Amino acid sequence: MPLDAAYLKNSSAKLGLQLALAVLEQTNDHRVVGRTIDFPQGALKAGSNEATIIDVGSRSWAVARFTPRQLSGRIGKVGMLAALDVTDVYAIVWHNLIYAFVVLVLAGALSITFGSRLATKMSDALHRVTSALKRVEQLDYVHVDPIKTGDELEDLAVGFNRMVDGLKERDHLRTTFGKYMTSSVIDHLLSGKVALGGESLKVTILFSDIRSFTTISESMDPQHLVALLNEYFTEMVSIVMDEGGVVDKYIGDAIMAVFGAPVPKPEDAVNAVRAAVRMRRGLKTLNERLATRKLGPLRTGIGIHTGEVVAGNIGSERRMEYTVIGDAVNLASRLESSTKELGVAVAISEDTYALTKHMILARTIREITVKGRNQPVMTYELLGMKGDEPIELSDSVKEKSVNPTNPDLVPE
């Protein structure tokens, strides 16, 4: 086929390109030997095989040169120039770039706006949690205000409030238990080491009871009676706890205290008898206060025994109570009941006496038979601690305690 104007026109129509034929001179200039009508004049200088964007007037053209071997002849090495009008494409690309830039700016602005709001909200939430945490460190159990973020921050606030509730309940339990037992016992119980059931422990049981309480209660109205009991219990329980004892329970006007549960110590028996001595002295102080209010004195009996018990949480899974049970508890209660009959203020068993005799002043009383036990129990009257003043007894107790006609009273 001849490379003439008709060929270029036909090829241009098929390819959608503007074409030109040019001879490549040694000076790298082009001598055009043929071109289509719309081939841009400025594109004739394009001498690269790579596509080049040139502007001709208001139009933009993509121009590339091709030099096939077949186009070499007498007139020299002929190359073909192809030009594509990319003005509209160029404009679309620029428009798209502008749109993309606008979208990017808007997205950045929105991201900054929402990110700033989210960061502010997160910062405020974390600040509230941190402030509440500092107050919790000061034992001020406060809740974090609700955080409605729907993410981990909201879960953090909910978890923090649950933690505060747990700490508050634990502190409440510790405060409540603190009215009955020492801090070491509280720590042992709260550690979860005491399960449903029990363990065998050697403890010292102290029972204290107000004598003739029924007569006292009949002569007082209920409100004054409760106030009197609370005043008495406050005095006695404080002494028990100072000596490391645990108030197991109140039985009407009686106090049951345990020394050695749940954490046994070598000096439990000594602590129990010392508590009894201090309780007698505390009762004297209380009676002096009652006398100023024209109230009659209170008289008490105390029984102490040391022995094996089962200590633990007794009850059901839904309702349990930490207590001690066993023959030792019954014997301590019987000793307390026998104090009036024996004419003593404080009666201790032989087992307690054997553990404390190096520390106490005591008097042998006699053997007594306790219901439910075949073997009689030797009893001793606790008179005080060595090196201290003896217990001051009430007149009725003192008169009977030192009765020389009673052959069972043998001084130690």
Side-chain angles (χ1 to χ4, degrees):
M1 296 179 63
L3 295 179
D4 53 12
Y7 174 82
L8 292 178
K9 182 178 181 181
N10 183 50
S11 298
S12 174
K14 291 180 179 179
L15 297 175
L17 301 172
Q18 300 301 320
L19 301 175
L21 293 173
V23 178
L24 181 62
E25 303 289 351
Q26 293 181 351
T27 59
N28 290 330
D29 291 333
H30 295 89
R31 179 165 56 87
V32 178
V33 295
R35 63 186 180 89
T36 57
I37 297 176
D38 294 328
F39 190 91
Q41 185 68 26
L44 295 173
K45 297 181 180 181
S48 172
N49 291 333
E50 299 293 333
T52 305
I53 302 296
I54 63 174
D55 293 323
V56 180
S58 61
R59 310 298 292 178
S60 296
W61 296 85
V63 182
R65 185 187 68 191
F66 305 93
T67 54
R69 295 192 308 272
Q70 294 86 347
L71 297 184
S72 297
R74 291 176 302 169
I75 61 175
K77 191 175 183 179
V78 179
M80 180 172 287
L81 298 175
L84 175 64
D85 188 350
V86 294
T87 303
D88 294 338
V89 176
Y90 209 52
I92 291 172
V93 170
W94 270 107
H95 289 160
N96 288 341
L97 287 175
I98 293 173
Y99 291 149
F101 178 75
V102 171
V103 170
L104 181 63
V105 170
L106 290 177
L110 290 175
S111 299
I112 293 173
T113 301
F114 287 108
S116 176
R117 290 185 60 186
L118 179 60
T120 302
K121 198 168 187 179
M122 292 176 64
S123 177
D124 178 63
L126 291 174
H127 176 71
R128 279 186 280 171
V129 172
T130 303
S131 299
L133 182 60
K134 291 180 179 179
R135 294 180 63 180
V136 170
E137 289 177 353
Q138 303 299 322
L139 301 183
D140 182 11
Y141 299 115
V142 295
H143 278 183
V144 175
D145 294 335
I147 300 175
K148 301 298 183 181
T149 58
D151 56 10
E152 290 81 0
L153 279 177
E154 185 172 349
D155 296 337
L156 175 64
V158 172
F160 182 87
N161 290 338
R162 289 176 180 171
M163 179 195 73
V164 168
D165 291 337
L167 290 175
K168 187 185 297 184
E169 182 178 0
R170 184 183 179 91
D171 193 60
H172 175 71
L173 288 175
R174 181 180 292 274
T175 302
T176 302
F177 286 157
K179 299 176 181 178
Y180 301 91
M181 58 193 71
T182 61
S183 59
S184 61
V185 175
I186 295 173
D187 293 337
H188 185 81
L189 292 175
L190 293 180
S191 66
K193 296 178 182 178
V194 181
L196 182 64
E199 57 180 335
S200 294
L201 296 175
K202 187 175 183 178
V203 301
T204 300
I205 311 294
L206 182 150
F207 270 90
S208 175
D209 187 34
I210 300 177
R211 291 174 177 166
S212 303
F213 183 73
T214 302
T215 303
I216 297 174
S217 62
E218 289 176 349
S219 61
M220 298 182 68
D221 63 81
Q223 291 184 348
H224 288 89
L225 181 64
V226 171
L228 177 62
L229 273 179
N230 287 338
E231 187 175 1
Y232 165 76
F233 284 145
T234 299
E235 188 82 29
M236 300 299 110
V237 171
S238 176
I239 294 171
V240 169
M241 293 180 60
D242 284 347
E243 296 296 337
V246 175
V247 177
D248 186 279
K249 61 174 64 70
Y250 298 106
I251 310 171
D253 61 304
I255 300 173
M256 174 183 167
V258 182
F259 294 79
V263 184
K265 297 182 290 294
E267 63 275 12
D268 286 329
V270 175
N271 290 339
V273 295
R274 185 185 296 113
V277 172
R278 292 183 57 192
M279 289 169 74
R280 292 297 302 173
R281 295 199 175 107
L283 181 64
K284 178 186 175 184
T285 303
L286 175 61
N287 284 333
E288 290 173 355
R289 292 202 306 266
L290 296 179
T292 62
R293 305 198 312 250
K294 296 182 172 25
L295 295 175
L298 298 178
R299 294 182 174 86
T300 63
I302 299 176
I304 303 175
H305 174 61
T306 303
E308 293 285 338
V309 297
V310 176
N313 285 329
I314 309 300
S316 67
E317 290 288 351
R318 296 185 60 183
R319 175 68 171 89
M320 60 181 65
E321 176 186 15
Y322 184 81
T323 187
V324 295
I325 59 174
D327 179 65
V329 178
N330 298 330
L331 181 53
S333 177
R334 297 294 185 270
L335 285 174
E336 182 279 317
S337 302
S338 302
T339 54
K340 190 171 182 180
E341 175 188 347
L342 297 173
V344 297
V346 182
I348 65 175
S349 69
E350 188 169 13
D351 294 304
T352 302
Y353 174 75
L355 295 172
T356 61
K357 60 184 179 181
H358 63 291
M359 296 286 293
I360 65 173
L361 299 173
R363 184 194 306 273
T364 304
I365 307 175
R366 61 181 172 86
E367 288 185 340
I368 62 172
T369 301
V370 177
K371 183 179 180 180
R373 290 175 64 100
N374 296 325
Q375 295 295 327
V377 178
M378 178 60 72
T379 58
Y380 296 81
E381 178 186 10
L382 177 63
L383 300 176
M385 305 298 294
K386 287 184 177 179
D388 293 342
E389 293 292 329
I391 301 174
E392 184 173 343
L393 306 178
S394 62
D395 293 338
S396 60
V397 173
K398 185 187 299 183
E399 180 180 353
K400 191 169 184 180
S401 177
V402 298
N403 188 347
T405 61
N406 189 339
D408 294 322
L409 298 183
V410 180
E412 279 292 310

